[in-house]
Amino acid sequence: MPAEPAIKMAEKTNKIRMPEKNGIDSLPAHDSAVSHVSGEAIFINDMDEGSKMLFGHIVGSPHASARILSVDTSDAMKIPGIIAILTAKDIPGENQLGPVVKDEVCLAADKTEFIGQAIALIAAESHEAAFEAEQKIIIKYSVLEPVLQLQEAMEQGKMISAPRKIETGDVEKALSESEHTLSGELMTGPQEHWYLETQTCLCVPVERSSYYVYSSTQHPSETQSIIATVLGVEENRVSVEVKRVGGAFGGKETQANHVAAWASLLARNTNRPVKIHLSRDTDQIMTGKRHPFYSKYIVGFTKSGLIQAFDVELNADAGATTDLTNAIMERAIFHVDNAYFIPNLRVYGKAWKTNKPSNTAFRGFGAPQGIAVIEQAIDRIARYLGKDAADIRKLNFYGESNNNITHFGEVVENNRLHLLWDKLIAQSAYYERKENVDEFNKNNTYTKRGIALTPVKFGISFTTSFLNQAGALINIYTDGSVLVNHGGVEMGQGLHSKIRRIAALELGISEDRVTLSPTCTASVPNTSATAASSGADLNGMAVKNACDKLKERLRGVYIKEMEKTGIFEELCQENIIFENDKVYCKEKAGLPFSFRDLVKTAYTSRVSLSATGFYKTPDLYFDKKDGKGRPFHYFAFGMAVSEVEIDTLTAFTKILRTDIVHDVGDSLNPHIDMGQIRGGFVQGSGWCTTEEIKYDEMGHVLNHSPDTYKIPTIMDIPEIFNIVLLEKVPNPNTIRKSKAVGEPPFMLAFSVWLAIKDAISATAGHKTEPGFSLPATNEVILHSIEKLRAQATNK
Amino acid sequence: MSKQKNIIRFILDGKTLEVAFGEKSGISPDISLLHYLRQAGHKSVKEGCGEGDCGACTVVIAETCDGKPVYKAINSCLVLLPMIHGCQIITADSLSEDKDGQAVLHPVQKALVDHHGSQCGYCTPGIVMSMFSLWKSVQHPTESIIKRRLAGNLCRCTGYQPIIDASKQFPATLRQDKFSEQAKETVRSLELIYKEIPSLDIEASGIRYFRPASLKEALKIRRNFSEAVVINGATDIAVQLNKHKIKISSYLDLSGLIELKYSKLQDHSIEFGSCITIEEMGVAVKSKFPALYEMISVFGSHQIRNLATPGGNIGSASPIGDLLPLMIAASARIELQNETKKRSMLLEEFITGYHETRMKPDELITKIIIPLPTNATLIRSYKISRRKDVDISTVSAGFCFELDQEGKLQSAKLVFGGMAAMPVRASAAEKHLLHKSLTRQNIREAAEMVYAEFNPISDARASAESRRLLARNLLISFGEDHNK
C-alpha cells in the first residue's frame, strides 16, 4: 500500500477542498476533520425537520423518593403550542427501559426513585411553550425518605443484585502467614461524562407506523429494540441512524435510550417529528455517572514487598436501577489485580441501590475503580516498608512465562509490562527525577513535589461473551467506489478512519475510494454497543470478512476473464493480488485489471458487488459459578510516570510532567491512537483531581453545570507531556495486528493521583501515611495536609 | 427615525444585515446571539452549556478601533443580539475562502486538521474561532498565551495538546485572509451603521431595550425608566435568561457607551471607565499593577473577559466577584452619576450586602479609580478555586499593607471574598497586625484570627471548614513570601 496523499474529503456533501499536506505525516486525519473545522459537521441538534417538528420536553421528579399520588395535565394542555402531554398510561407498549435487567421504567407511574426521573413528556411547538406547560402540570406526591449515601444503602442492606465473588489460592492462610499485612479502605467518586453534545434524539414518523430515528447513541441496535418495546411495534418498524456522536465515553451506551424512547413516544402520539436535546443542566441532573465505589481491603506481603495475598470487597453505588451495574462490577472484579501476580486473591463485588440516577458505563467500565484499590494498596506497602513504590510494582508484575495466571484463570499472554518498564524508566529518567524530587522537597517548606509510576493491564472483550460479535455491509458500485456500513458508532474516537483504512488496505484501493455510511440498524442489524474499546477490533474484522467475500467473487471474475484471453490457465485464487487500485496475478505478471474495470466486468457478468461481513471473537468463555475462564481475547498494556507540584497552603496542584509508553500493537493509525491515549489520560486526571460531585441532603446534585463541575481545561494538562507507542509489538489474531486503545489510558492517570499523594506525604517527611481518596480535590489535599501537620505538632 | 426604531444592523457572511425585532420576524430583543445565529442557519455555533463555561458557542466579533477592525472571541450564549449592533460577526462556517469556485480552509482550520486537533468535533468550531482571534491578534504566540486564550474552550476528547501544537505552528506568512482584504470596506460599513443608527430604542415582543450611544442619553433613560435592568457586559444576566428563564421587561444596555470604555493612567492612580472590558483593563494594568493583572488573568476566560466589565462586576456586588476584594483592599473609589450630579465613594462603602449596593435608581457607575501601589505599599491578590482557570473562586483575597520607615504597619486591609454574603475585611486580624512588623510569627497569629473570624457557607464548591482553612492559609502564604 503506497502512502496515500493526505486528507480526503470527509463527506459526500463536503464542498471543501482538502488541504495539501505539509509533510508532517502521510496518514489521514480523522474522517470528519475537515467537516469539523469548517463547521459543516452536522449533529442531531443541527437537523431541522421544518415547521412540523416539535420539541420534546421532560418533566422530572423533584423528589429523590416519593409516591406519585396524581398527575394533572389539563391546565398545561391549554397552553398554545402544546400538542401532547404523555404520562405512563399513554405508553402503547411496555413501560420499560432496562437494558439487561427489566427494572427501569420509561415513565414513572406510581413512585419516583431519583430527582429528575421522568414522569411526563411534553411535545410543544416551542421550547418556551414547553417550559410554560411544565409549570402548569400539577403532580401530587407523598414524599419518602431517600437513601442517598452508599454507606447508608449498605447499612440498610439495599443490595441491587446478587453479590459476586472470585477467589484463587487460600487467602485466609496466606494472610495469616504473611510477614506484614495492611488493611484499608478507599472511596472513589462519581464522574460526569461531560460529552460536549448532550443527549439528543430526533424521531421522524414515516409511513405505516414506522419510525426513522436519529439518535446520539453508542448502541443503535439496543436503542432500536427499546423504542420498539415502548411503542409496542416490531423492531423492523424502527430504524436508528447515527451519523456521529458528539462525545459519549460510555454515557450514551444505555442512557441515550431514554431520550430516544421519549422522543419516539411523542412522535408516535403526535405523528410529527419530535426532537429532544437535553440542556446541560438537565443532562447532568438526570443521567447517571461513573459508579462511586467504597472498597475495603487487606493485603499481605513479604518484607521485600512481594504481595502474598489480597482480600478485597468492592461496593458500588448503582443508583436507582441496575442498568449496566452487573457488568461494570464484573470488570472491576477482573481488574483488582491490575498488572500484578497475586497468588492468593479474593474479591467480593456488591452493588447497592440508592435514590440517585442510575450510574452507568464510563470509560474503563469499573476497571478504574478496581485498579484504584490495588494501586493505593501498593503505594501504602511501599510507604510502610520505606521503599520506592515503582520498585514494589515491578517486583509484583505478572511474569512473562511464569506467575502469569490471573485470579480468574486467564493466562496473561504477550505480557508487555517488562518491556514498557524498561522504555518508560529510560524515557522518564524516573530514578534521577525521584532524587530531584526529594532534593526539591528538602529545600522547600510549602511547595512539595511528588512522583509516581503506575501501569495498566486491561482486558479486551465484552465480559458478556455473546456481545463480542459484529457485522458489516460493503457495497461496491459500478464505478469502483466503495461504501462501507458497519455496526460501530463514530463518537470522536476515529473508528471510521480506522475502518476506512482497513477496507482500503483489504481491497487494495486508495482510501479516497472508500466512504463510510452513517451507522444504521437498517443496513447492519443486531450489533453490539460501540464500547469496551472494541469498536475497531470487532467491526474491523467484520469489514475484513466482507472484503474477503467480495475479493473471492472478484477473483473469480478475474480468472474467468484471464481464461477468456487464453493466456492463463488454472489460476488459483490466492495468487490474485489486490494492490494499488489494481488486481493482478502474482505468479504471472502482466495484464492487471484496474479495480474499477474489474468491478465493471463483475457487474456486467452479473456478480453481486455487495457483501455482508460478520465476526465473533474466538475462544472466549467464562464459568460464572467457578469464577474461572478466558473472558478476554487479549490484554492491552500501558505505563506512565507523572510528577506534580502542590502549593501546600492553597492546595493548588500542577502536573509538571507526564511520560507515557503504551502498547497498541501494530497501530492502525498512530495519530488516532495517540489522541485516544492523550484524551483518555486527561479525562482520567480530571476524575482523579477536580471532578467532584456533591449532593445535598434531599438528593439534589449540586454540581450540575460546568460552573461547578470542573473538567480539565487546556491549562490543566501536563506541562511536559510525552507519549510514545511501543514499536514492533504485533498483536496476534486481531485486525491487522492492532490493539484496542479507547479505555486503557484512562487508568494511567493514577500516576497523577499517586504523585499528589507522594507530594502530600512529603509534607510530613514521608513518615506518616496520609489520608487520601479519589478525587484528590484541593479540599482533600488541604485536609490531608492539615491532618499531617496537626499530627506532627502533637508528637 | 421612527421607522428605524426596532432594527439593528451588523455584518454577517460579509454582508450588512438588518434584523427587525417583533412579532413579524419572531425575533425578540432578548434573544441570545447564539440562538439567533443557529436560527439563521449558522449551525456550526454549538450550545454546550448556556453559561459561558464551555466555549462551544465561541464566535468572533469585529469592532472598529482607530479605523481598523479589532477581532474578539466571545461566548455567543452570553450576548443579547442588540449588543452586537454595529459589529461584524464571524463564525467557523464562514471562515473558508472561495478560490476558483472551491472553498479552501482558513489557515487556522488547516492547522487544526494537520495536527489532528478534533475528535468528536462538537467543540471544534468554537476552538477554531478562539484560534482565529489569536491568529488575528498575536503574531508569534507563546505556549502560555495560547493556553490562556484557549482556556475557555472545553474539549473532552483530545487532551488539548494537538490544539496547542496547531496554534503554535500557524504558517509564518503575513496574517492575510479575506477579512484583512476586506478590512477597509468592513470598517466603512460598520461606521455607516453607527452613523445611521447610533442608539437603539427597541420596543418589541413585550420588551423595551435601550442601547444609548452617550452617557447623557443613558442617564436620561435611567431617570425615566429606573426599572430597566442595567446590563454592562451581560455575562450574569444572560446566564439567568438562558438557564432560569427569567423574564425581564426592560433593559438599559451600556455596551454602546464608547465614552466609558477607557483607561487613564495618572500619577498615583489608574482610572477606568466602567464599560471597559476586563481584558482591556488587564492590558492597561499589566506593568503598573501586577496584583490586579494576576487577578484579571484568572477572571473567567478570554471570551468572558472580552465581554465583562468592571462596572458590571462592581454593580452586581457578588460575594465572589473576582475583582472586588483586591479593589477594596487597594482603596478603589467609584464614581456614580445621575443626570444632575456626580458623587464618589470608596468601593468598600458602595457594597452593602449580598448583591446590594448604594446605587440609586437614577444613577450609573461611570468610573473606577484605583490608587497605584507605592514603594510603601505591599499589595497582593489571591484566588482559590477548584480548578485554576475559568472557575469561580472558592475563596479570594486582596491584601494591602502600608509600612512606615521602620517597617511597621501603618495600615492593613485584609479583604476576603467567598467568606460571607459580601466581600469582607478580617478586622480582628487587621487590628492585630497594626503597628507591628510583618514577621512570620505576627502573620501566623493574624492568620489564626482570620480562621476564627468568619462563618462561611458550605456549598458545591467547598465546605465551610475548607474555606476557613484556605482564608487562613492565604495570609500565611503571604507571610512566607514576604519573609522569604
Side-chain angles (χ1 to χ4, degrees):
Chain A
M1 179 75 193
E4 275 305 313
I7 298 142
K8 304 302 175 196
M9 300 277 287
E11 303 190 358
K12 278 190 288 185
T13 56
N14 197 333
K15 291 184 290 292
I16 293 204
R17 193 163 68 194
M18 71 188 201
E20 281 158 35
K21 272 305 228 194
N22 56 13
I24 292 171
D25 66 70
S26 61
L27 269 166
H30 191 284
D31 207 47
S32 290
V34 172
S35 309
H36 288 157
V37 299
S38 64
E40 287 178 310
I42 291 295
F43 294 83
I44 295 165
N45 195 36
D46 304 330
M47 297 172 73
D48 199 343
E49 285 293 304
S51 61
K52 281 199 78 183
M53 190 180 82
L54 300 172
F55 298 97
H57 186 83
I58 295 109
V59 182
S61 167
H63 304 294
S65 179
R67 273 201 303 278
I68 300 169
L69 304 177
S70 64
V71 182
D72 180 356
T73 60
S74 51
D75 282 352
M77 273 309 292
K78 290 175 195 153
I79 290 165
I82 298 300
I83 309 302
I85 301 178
L86 308 181
T87 59
K89 65 177 171 17
D90 304 308
I91 296 175
E94 213 182 319
N95 185 8
Q96 188 52 246
L97 294 178
V100 184
V101 179
K102 301 294 170 198
D103 66 349
E104 186 172 0
V105 293
C106 177
L107 293 175
D110 49 1
K111 61 175 180 180
T112 111
E113 296 195 298
F114 59 92
I115 289 176
Q117 185 174 9
I119 296 172
L121 306 172
I122 302 171
E125 283 174 337
S126 71
H127 289 295
E128 290 71 24
F131 187 77
E132 205 184 328
E134 184 184 4
Q135 316 303 311
K136 294 271 165 69
I137 295 177
I138 302 157
I139 306 176
K140 293 206 170 109
Y141 300 93
S142 161
V143 179
L144 306 168
E145 189 70 27
V147 176
L148 297 168
Q149 300 298 327
L150 173 56
Q151 280 86 349
E152 203 182 339
M154 290 167 64
E155 279 158 23
Q156 296 186 19
K158 293 196 172 294
M159 212 176 274
I160 203 161
S161 46
R164 293 285 300 273
K165 180 182 134 184
I166 288 183
E167 186 168 8
T168 191
D170 189 338
V171 173
E172 303 285 350
K173 183 162 171 281
L175 279 175
S176 69
E177 288 171 1
S178 288
E179 288 169 298
H180 302 282
T181 58
L182 283 172
S183 59
E185 54 180 35
L186 179 69
M187 268 306 301
T188 55
Q191 184 178 25
E192 165 61 42
H193 301 83
W194 232 89
Y195 27 67
L196 261 286
E197 177 205 33
T198 52
Q199 303 280 2
T200 310
C201 181
L202 168 62
C203 177
V204 184
V206 287
E207 285 172 47
R208 297 179 58 231
S209 309
S210 294
Y211 302 87
Y212 204 85
V213 182
Y214 302 90
S215 167
S216 181
T217 176
Q218 283 174 259
H219 199 343
S221 288
E222 187 176 271
T223 302
Q224 172 198 25
S225 156
I226 284 188
I227 290 170
T229 303
V230 297
L231 295 187
V233 300
E234 292 190 300
E235 291 181 11
N236 59 11
R237 297 297 179 106
V238 181
S239 295
V240 174
E241 179 186 309
V242 185
K243 169 90 177 154
R244 59 169 65 79
V245 172
F249 317 113
K252 295 172 181 173
E253 186 169 344
T254 58
Q255 301 206 352
N257 296 337
H258 302 46
V259 292
W262 298 329
S264 302
L265 283 169
L266 290 169
R268 181 194 176 277
N269 185 277
T270 59
N271 204 28
R272 289 167 71 168
V274 175
K275 182 158 80 182
I276 298 180
H277 174 67
L278 296 187
S279 75
R280 176 61 60 187
D281 293 67
T282 307
D283 190 299
Q284 284 194 242
I285 289 166
M286 277 186 16
T287 65
K289 324 284 176 225
R290 180 185 296 285
H291 288 66
F293 268 50
Y294 168 68
S295 306
K296 292 188 277 196
Y297 62 90
I298 308 172
V299 60
F301 49 98
T302 67
K303 60 177 182 284
S304 62
L306 194 66
I307 299 172
Q308 303 290 297
F310 188 40
D311 193 9
V312 55
E313 180 186 298
L314 305 172
N315 294 285
D317 181 343
T321 64
T322 311
D323 189 270
L324 295 171
T325 297
N326 295 340
I328 288 164
M329 178 53 84
E330 186 167 54
R331 185 166 283 272
I333 286 172
F334 285 148
H335 284 82
V336 287
D337 58 332
N338 194 17
Y340 313 109
F341 174 69
I342 304 172
N344 303 286
L345 192 156
R346 180 168 62 192
V347 50
Y348 291 97
K350 298 170 187 171
W352 307 86
K353 179 178 168 116
T354 59
N355 290 110
K356 287 185 290 212
S358 190
N359 289 316
T360 192
F362 197 143
R363 205 175 201 162
F365 204 74
Q369 294 96 317
I371 291 176
V373 188
I374 186 68
E375 291 302 334
Q376 157 81 341
I378 290 192
D379 189 81
R380 288 188 59 201
I381 292 171
R383 293 184 193 287
Y384 178 84
L385 295 173
K387 290 175 188 283
D388 183 335
D391 290 337
I392 303 291
R393 290 191 162 89
K394 179 167 194 293
L395 182 68
N396 286 288
F397 280 161
Y398 276 107
E400 286 178 348
S401 51
N402 58 347
N403 292 346
N404 60 354
I405 300 176
T406 65
H407 55 295
F408 48 90
E410 178 154 357
V411 177
V412 179
E413 291 169 332
N414 302 305
N415 181 350
R416 312 281 187 221
L417 290 164
H418 303 272
L419 190 55
L420 288 168
W421 167 275
D422 292 343
K423 290 248 178 213
L424 181 63
I425 291 290
Q427 182 194 314
S428 65
Y430 173 77
Y431 288 107
E432 195 185 326
R433 279 170 56 214
K434 174 105 182 155
E435 277 178 30
N436 296 345
V437 164
D438 288 341
E439 190 63 23
F440 178 91
N441 289 338
K442 256 181 235 154
N443 299 329
N444 289 276
T445 315
Y446 289 98
T447 311
K448 295 291 178 189
R449 289 185 180 169
I451 189 166
L453 174 150
T454 60
V456 65
K457 166 189 123 287
F458 191 84
I460 301 298
S461 289
F462 289 98
T463 61
T464 304
S465 296
F466 77 81
L467 295 175
N468 296 289
Q469 58 171 308
L473 168 66
I474 299 185
N475 299 335
I476 305 177
Y477 296 96
T478 51
D479 63 354
S481 66
V482 174
L483 181 69
V484 177
N485 303 264
H486 64 93
V489 164
E490 174 58 52
M491 49 194 173
Q493 84 281 42
L495 176 59
H496 281 358
S497 312
K498 287 185 172 181
I499 293 288
R500 189 161 71 155
R501 186 167 165 76
I502 291 165
L505 288 171
E506 293 298 329
L507 295 172
I509 56 177
S510 56
E511 284 195 41
D512 59 0
R513 307 241 60 206
V514 181
T515 296
L516 270 289
S517 153
T519 310
C520 184
T521 55
S523 323
V524 180
N526 313 324
T527 54
S528 290
T530 306
S533 308
S534 67
D537 278 19
L538 299 177
N539 295 293
M541 278 295 205
V543 164
K544 179 180 185 302
N545 178 240
C547 289
D548 287 345
K549 287 185 189 170
L550 289 163
K551 272 159 51 176
E552 194 182 325
R553 290 180 208 158
L554 288 170
R555 283 187 183 113
V557 175
Y558 181 86
I559 291 169
K560 276 220 174 89
E561 289 304 305
M562 288 300 116
E563 283 167 357
K564 270 189 211 163
T565 64
I567 302 172
F568 300 136
E569 277 167 32
E570 291 169 33
L571 278 176
C572 78
Q573 278 249 352
E574 51 266 32
N575 287 341
I576 299 165
I577 307 295
F578 289 71
E579 204 174 62
N580 297 338
D581 289 300
K582 290 190 176 63
V583 183
Y584 61 93
C585 179
K586 194 162 75 177
E587 289 172 325
K588 303 173 182 177
L591 285 187
F593 261 93
S594 75
F595 184 78
R596 184 186 183 131
D597 288 346
L598 186 61
V599 162
K600 196 152 263 169
T601 309
Y603 172 70
T604 52
S605 316
R606 294 189 288 179
V607 169
S608 166
L609 289 167
S610 175
T612 59
F614 186 76
Y615 175 70
K616 57 178 180 178
T617 315
D619 305 327
L620 298 179
Y621 58 93
F622 187 71
D623 180 345
K624 278 201 179 175
K625 211 168 126 249
D626 192 29
K628 297 280 182 282
R630 188 176 184 273
F632 300 119
H633 189 35
Y634 62 88
F635 294 97
F637 301 91
M639 216 174 280
V641 169
S642 291
E643 182 179 347
V644 304
E645 181 176 298
I646 58 180
D647 177 332
T648 62
L649 289 169
T650 60
F652 172 62
T653 304
K654 56 183 168 187
I655 308 172
L656 298 176
R657 174 170 165 181
T658 292
D659 290 87
I660 294 174
V661 185
H662 218 283
D663 158 36
V664 296
D666 283 352
S667 177
L668 286 167
N669 185 325
H671 294 291
I672 284 172
D673 287 346
M674 297 278 271
Q676 286 297 298
I677 295 167
R678 202 181 284 115
F681 175 85
V682 170
Q683 197 173 62
S685 70
W687 179 53
C688 288
T689 58
T690 54
E691 294 183 37
E692 188 184 29
I693 299 175
K694 296 185 178 187
Y695 296 85
D696 70 9
E697 67 279 7
M698 306 284 289
H700 294 101
V701 55
L702 297 179
N703 314 70
H704 53 73
S705 76
D707 168 23
T708 49
Y709 187 72
K710 309 312 277 190
I711 70 168
T713 72
I714 202 167
M715 306 288 259
D716 301 307
I717 65 169
E719 289 177 6
I720 301 170
F721 201 177
N722 301 318
I723 300 173
V724 170
L725 302 178
L726 213 51
E727 281 177 359
K728 298 187 184 120
V729 282
N731 189 30
N733 305 320
T734 53
I735 183 72
R736 305 201 78 86
K737 306 201 181 308
S738 65
K739 252 187 189 185
V741 69
E743 291 163 291
F746 182 93
M747 282 142 276
L748 295 178
F750 288 135
S751 61
V752 172
W753 181 56
L754 291 171
I756 291 172
K757 187 183 168 195
D758 192 43
I760 295 172
S761 171
T763 61
H766 297 296
K767 290 192 181 72
T768 316
E769 173 68 25
F772 204 51
S773 53
L774 190 155
T777 61
N778 55 2
E779 278 193 283
V780 167
I781 296 168
L782 181 73
H783 290 288
S784 181
I785 291 172
E786 193 63 24
K787 211 169 152 194
L788 287 180
R789 289 216 172 104
Q791 283 168 349
T793 322
N794 291 341
K795 268 179 193 163
Chain B
M1 187 70 191
S2 66
K3 253 191 179 171
Q4 299 195 333
K5 190 173 147 100
N6 284 343
I7 61 162
I8 62 165
R9 285 187 198 145
F10 49 85
I11 299 177
L12 182 63
D13 299 328
K15 291 188 279 285
T16 299
L17 287 190
E18 190 167 286
V19 166
F21 294 101
E23 305 299 329
K24 204 172 156 198
S25 68
I27 302 174
S28 158
D30 63 355
I31 189 174
S32 69
L33 175 59
L34 164 66
H35 286 134
Y36 168 76
L37 287 170
R38 286 185 60 82
Q39 277 180 22
H42 288 269
K43 304 282 191 180
S44 74
V45 191
K46 308 291 186 214
E47 179 165 18
C49 69
E51 60 181 35
D53 272 296
C54 79
C57 68
T58 302
V59 301
V60 166
I61 55 167
E63 297 170 330
T64 57
C65 180
D66 302 328
K68 285 185 188 141
V70 178
Y71 298 91
K72 292 178 177 177
I74 56 163
N75 299 110
S76 61
C77 72
L78 297 182
V79 174
L80 306 188
L81 188 58
M83 289 168 68
I84 53 97
H85 174 66
C87 293
Q88 180 183 20
I89 305 157
I90 304 167
T91 59
D93 52 290
S94 58
L95 279 191
S96 62
E97 253 175 277
D98 195 55
K99 278 189 185 149
D100 314 324
Q102 262 193 316
V104 174
L105 293 181
H106 189 274
V108 302
Q109 293 173 315
K110 183 178 179 303
L112 206 54
V113 172
D114 286 348
H115 287 85
H116 307 272
S118 72
Q119 286 187 22
C120 86
Y122 205 82
C123 70
T124 310
I127 285 181
V128 163
M129 294 320 291
S130 282
M131 287 172 64
F132 172 75
S133 86
L134 179 67
W135 187 84
K136 278 288 184 192
S137 54
V138 185
Q139 276 289 334
H140 300 287
T142 60
E143 179 149 340
S144 119
I145 290 173
I146 292 166
K147 285 184 172 179
R148 182 159 293 177
R149 293 288 289 264
L150 281 149
N153 292 87
L154 294 179
C155 167
R156 193 57 153 168
C157 295
T158 63
Y160 301 106
Q161 191 66 49
I163 297 163
I164 298 171
D165 296 342
S167 304
K168 268 187 201 161
Q169 294 191 8
F170 286 150
T173 51
L174 285 173
R175 299 291 161 90
Q176 293 293 323
D177 58 10
K178 66 177 179 186
F179 301 100
S180 42
E181 279 163 23
Q182 294 157 5
K184 273 191 184 152
E185 202 182 311
T186 303
V187 169
R188 250 200 314 276
S189 306
L190 294 180
E191 283 170 352
L192 186 67
I193 294 173
Y194 268 117
K195 204 172 152 200
E196 291 185 359
I197 314 175
S199 56
L200 304 177
D201 176 359
I202 300 162
E203 208 171 353
S205 316
I207 290 170
R208 190 79 184 260
Y209 192 105
F210 297 102
R211 185 179 188 257
S214 73
L215 178 61
K216 194 176 164 211
E217 213 184 319
L219 291 170
K220 188 176 168 196
I221 297 163
R222 188 75 171 130
R223 173 166 60 83
N224 293 333
F225 300 88
S226 62
E227 74 287 355
V229 172
V230 178
I231 49 176
N232 193 353
T235 54
D236 264 0
I237 284 290
V239 176
Q240 293 182 48
L241 289 168
N242 291 340
K243 296 180 62 165
H244 306 301
K245 316 279 179 203
I246 57 163
K247 296 271 179 233
I248 295 173
S249 55
S250 52
Y251 295 86
L252 170 53
D253 170 11
L254 305 184
S255 62
L257 301 186
I258 310 289
E259 65 197 281
L260 294 185
K261 297 182 185 186
Y262 69 90
S263 67
K264 208 189 296 173
L265 190 62
Q266 282 152 347
D267 286 348
H268 303 294
S269 65
I270 186 160
E271 182 183 311
F272 298 103
S274 64
C275 299
I276 190 173
T277 65
I278 300 286
E279 185 69 23
E280 289 158 347
M281 201 176 159
V283 173
V285 299
K286 191 167 181 178
S287 59
K288 297 287 166 190
F289 203 153
L292 184 53
Y293 178 73
E294 272 171 40
M295 204 63 182
I296 286 172
S297 69
V298 287
F299 184 112
S301 61
H302 179 70
Q303 292 96 312
I304 290 174
R305 292 193 293 271
N306 274 333
L307 293 167
T309 63
N313 201 241
I314 291 168
S316 68
S318 161
I320 44 179
D322 273 346
L323 300 182
L324 303 180
L326 178 68
M327 293 209 289
I328 291 171
S331 304
R333 298 184 72 81
I334 62 163
E335 194 169 286
L336 295 153
Q337 196 172 333
N338 66 12
E339 269 197 292
T340 52
K341 58 180 185 291
K342 296 175 181 173
R343 60 180 182 137
S344 119
M345 68 179 76
L346 280 171
L347 176 58
E348 188 178 0
E349 292 164 0
F350 175 70
I351 298 170
T352 55
Y354 184 71
H355 294 293
E356 281 173 9
T357 69
R358 288 191 204 282
M359 183 148 73
K360 291 179 184 159
D362 63 348
E363 283 179 326
L364 290 170
I365 302 169
T366 50
K367 56 176 85 157
I368 298 102
I369 306 117
I370 313 175
L372 289 171
T374 68
N375 291 337
T377 42
L378 285 169
I379 187 152
R380 297 283 183 277
S381 64
Y382 300 90
K383 173 176 171 174
I384 296 178
S385 43
R386 186 192 302 255
R387 188 178 68 195
K388 186 162 181 253
D389 298 273
V390 202
D391 200 354
I392 288 166
S393 58
T394 305
V395 176
S396 61
F399 300 153
C400 184
F401 302 101
E402 279 178 321
L403 300 164
D404 65 16
Q405 288 184 340
E406 286 151 40
K408 300 265 161 55
L409 274 185
Q410 276 192 319
S411 77
K413 277 192 184 173
L414 306 174
V415 190
F416 288 90
M419 299 302 289
M422 56 189 262
V424 277
R425 288 172 67 172
S427 32
E430 286 178 1
K431 210 167 145 193
H432 180 76
L433 285 172
L434 210 59
H435 307 306
K436 294 199 178 104
S437 53
L438 288 171
T439 61
R440 277 201 170 90
Q441 181 59 27
N442 288 338
I443 290 172
R444 276 201 165 267
E445 285 164 12
E448 292 305 328
M449 296 174 129
V450 167
Y451 175 85
E453 206 165 336
F454 298 113
N455 193 15
I457 57 163
S458 290
D459 64 7
R461 294 193 176 89
S463 71
E465 175 62 9
S466 298
R467 287 196 159 93
R468 279 192 287 262
L469 288 171
L470 288 167
R472 179 200 71 180
N473 285 359
L474 287 182
L475 191 53
I476 297 174
S477 184
F478 166 76
E480 291 303 320
D481 276 352
H482 183 66
N483 289 294
K484 224 176 213 167

